[in-house]
Amino acid sequence: MEEQYYAMLHELQAVDFVLVELNLYLDTHPWDTMALQQFNEMAQKRQFLAAQFEQCYGPLLNFGHSASPHGWRWAMPPWPWQV
Amino acid sequence: MNQFRVYCPFIGPFDPCPPIREKVYSTPPNLFLGFQPPGLPQFNAHEALKLGTLWPALYSPYPGKQT
């Protein structure tokens, strides 16, 4: 796969990790508005990155968590372990 | 910043196995932090992914085998 595929996936992975950390942090600090604002910004950014990725390379998730606009590409290679 | 400490267990004449002279144990920063204060400095997304935590204060690396 081309370089851009990995770059976009890496960016998405980084944003996802930040979201995980902030989520766990907010579990114990629900009153921290700064972290909450950062979390919401990151969530929006994640939505945008995921949509951008899916536009180019097909759905990330199945069972309706991702759209597959350009034909049914869920069961098509490349699979995660192939890339 | 080495987060590992060493203690030397007692070695007696009747030990069944060869003695282990130094035992090493890890003391990550979260032991000393208690309840995490808000507004700690953060890594950027890629660094956080690489280092395994969003906050430098909680960074606790797992060093490879020191040959």
Side-chain angles (χ1 to χ4, degrees):
Chain A
M1 296 297 286
E2 64 270 12
E3 195 50 43
Q4 197 206 358
Y5 179 95
Y6 293 107
M8 288 168 82
L9 214 51
H10 185 61
E11 185 68 30
L12 189 65
Q13 200 179 0
V15 171
D16 273 350
F17 180 76
V18 171
L19 282 169
V20 165
E21 288 275 294
L22 284 175
N23 190 326
L24 294 174
Y25 173 81
L26 286 167
D27 289 346
T28 50
H29 301 68
W31 34 264
D32 188 342
T33 49
M34 288 290 292
L36 188 60
Q37 188 202 337
Q38 184 184 2
F39 179 84
N40 291 328
E41 281 165 18
M42 278 295 179
Q44 258 183 349
K45 185 177 176 189
R46 203 259 179 209
Q47 291 288 342
F48 171 71
L49 285 173
Q52 200 181 13
F53 182 89
E54 284 168 1
Q55 204 58 35
C56 306
Y57 302 111
L60 284 165
L61 304 168
N62 61 348
F63 294 128
H65 294 287
S66 279
S68 184
H70 309 301
W72 184 247
R73 291 179 60 175
W74 171 250
M76 307 256 289
W79 292 94
W81 57 86
Q82 293 171 318
V83 290
Chain B
M1 213 268 289
N2 187 350
Q3 295 177 359
F4 290 88
R5 297 184 187 175
V6 178
Y7 72 91
C8 302
F10 173 75
I11 299 166
F14 309 111
D15 287 346
C17 304
I20 298 172
R21 301 201 181 284
E22 283 179 0
K23 293 286 289 181
V24 178
Y25 60 98
S26 169
T27 53
N30 57 311
L31 298 180
F32 312 109
L33 196 61
F35 189 75
Q36 180 177 344
L40 282 179
Q42 292 184 359
F43 288 126
N44 69 49
H46 289 283
E47 271 175 355
L49 179 65
K50 188 167 182 295
L51 299 178
T53 177
L54 190 54
W55 294 279
L58 295 172
Y59 176 53
S60 174
Y62 186 76
K65 202 151 235 358
Q66 284 91 358
T67 50

